[in-house]
Amino acid sequence: MRRLLAILIPGLLLITACGGSPATTATPEPTSQSAGEVAKLDSLKVSDNGDKKAPGLEFNKPLDVTQPTIKMVSDGAGDKVKAGQVAQITYIAVDGKDGKTLEDTFPTGSQPVELNDQLKTGSAVLYNALVGAKVGADIAFVVPGTAASGEAAATSSQLVVFKVTGVKDAVKPLAKPEGDTVTPPAGLPTVKVDDKGIPQISVDGAKAPDALVAQDLIKGKGAVVKETDTLTVNYVGVTLADGKKFDSSYDKGETASFALNGVIKGWTQGLAGKTVGSRVLLVIPKSLAYGDAATQGQPTGDLVFVVDILGAQ
């Protein structure tokens, strides 16, 4: 999971974790907009090292700002990014005090960022910088550090340099799974749909899995899901030991969007290769879930999910 960026830029939870809402198209912005203490980025030089290697960064240290600051370092020569589209980005994040690398996504490939109202609300400076940029652009974003408070340690400013590697139109997700019904083998948890169309999972008679089970209940006819895709889904999750529900997008009243390579391994491995429109039963061993020492309210042990794959980008 791209944990650092999700912390620095709340709007980017859209691409790194469950949550979020369907995209809405905003009015296109004509040009990329810089904001904040832009002059403090005048010393920054970005040197290209190829598609799979992070660029070299040179800047006067320490780099310190008091407000989120963003600047177009160099624009690209490709297509212009428009509001409502999906921008593909890679990035490197470094400590503004000493330049130490904190996170680098260049070796693993581009990540999608949907330029919708959720991002505009969560991080307007990033939204306004990406909309109007061209493919190939390098954009620098600096997040202020924090002073020591109580038990929290002080942190220095952090610099994130994005490269826009591509752009495409957002695809509207399905409202519900669509495809051919599949009869699962005996011995798995069973699934029925209530009068509201919500899957209900029963674990009666189901045994603990020796390996991950990813069983189609409905086989969709859409695009094949890649591990690097961002999915839009509905889902229900229960613990295998007692069938107790611990999470459901239906209870939240909205679909969830997340990068498939940023969730538990059971989801990543179980949903990659499936097709859009599918309803998938996942029976996940604890080794591919949260284990026996989960924190922050996460469930322990073996887990069961029903996941409706409504969209992939």
Side-chain angles (χ1 to χ4, degrees), residues 19-310:
S21 57
T24 56
T25 301
T27 302
E29 306 276 349
T31 58
S32 173
Q33 299 177 21
S34 298
E37 301 166 53
V38 177
K40 292 188 176 181
L41 285 168
D42 286 349
S43 68
L44 176 63
K45 293 181 174 59
V46 179
S47 55
D48 186 71
N49 287 321
D51 293 339
K52 293 294 184 179
K53 189 174 181 181
L57 305 181
E58 296 181 20
F59 58 93
N60 294 338
K61 305 177 186 66
L63 175 60
D64 191 24
V65 296
T66 60
Q67 61 180 301
T69 296
I70 199 160
K71 179 183 179 181
M72 173 76 72
V73 180
S74 61
D75 205 358
D79 293 337
K80 182 175 286 190
V81 179
K82 299 177 182 179
Q85 290 187 310
V86 177
Q88 296 287 335
I89 66 167
T90 52
Y91 65 87
I92 181 171
V94 302
D95 192 301
K97 182 177 181 180
D98 56 18
K100 180 180 178 181
T101 298
L102 303 173
E103 188 169 10
D104 177 7
T105 71
F106 278 82
T108 56
S110 300
Q111 298 293 312
V113 179
E114 192 160 347
L115 299 165
N116 58 12
D117 286 347
Q118 183 181 351
L119 178 62
K120 190 174 185 179
T121 300
S123 181
V125 291
L126 179 62
Y127 174 92
N128 290 330
L130 286 172
V131 172
K134 295 178 182 178
V135 173
D138 291 315
I139 299 173
F141 184 87
V142 190
V143 181
T146 59
S149 176
E151 298 180 358
T155 63
S156 52
S157 293
Q158 295 175 358
L159 167 66
V160 184
V161 175
F162 303 94
K163 178 173 284 293
V164 182
T165 61
V167 65
K168 59 184 179 181
D169 291 333
V171 178
K172 185 177 180 180
L174 300 172
K176 61 182 181 179
E178 297 178 0
D180 298 325
T181 300
V182 178
T183 301
L188 297 178
T190 57
V191 180
K192 294 183 178 180
V193 178
D194 67 14
D195 57 2
K196 296 181 180 179
I198 301 174
Q200 306 295 315
I201 303 171
S202 172
V203 299
D204 292 345
K207 297 180 179 179
D210 296 323
L212 174 66
V213 175
Q215 172 64 47
D216 287 325
L217 303 178
I218 297 174
K219 175 65 174 176
K221 299 180 180 180
V224 175
V225 171
K226 302 185 295 295
E227 191 172 308
T228 54
D229 282 344
T230 290
L231 301 188
T232 298
V233 305
N234 267 322
Y235 68 93
V236 178
V238 304
T239 50
L240 181 60
D242 56 12
K244 183 178 180 180
K245 182 173 66 176
F246 60 84
D247 197 7
S248 170
S249 63
Y250 292 97
D251 292 347
K252 300 171 185 176
E254 60 184 18
T255 57
S257 296
F258 56 88
L260 187 55
N261 59 6
V263 289
I264 59 174
K265 292 180 179 179
W267 276 54
T268 305
Q269 296 176 16
L271 297 181
K274 298 297 184 181
T275 50
V276 173
S278 295
R279 169 168 288 167
V280 183
L281 172 67
L282 296 176
V283 186
I284 304 177
K286 61 185 178 182
S287 61
L288 298 178
Y290 301 101
D292 285 326
T295 59
Q296 299 179 342
Q298 296 166 340
T300 59
D302 303 324
L303 305 180
V304 182
F305 288 91
V306 172
V307 184
D308 294 342
I309 305 175
L310 305 177

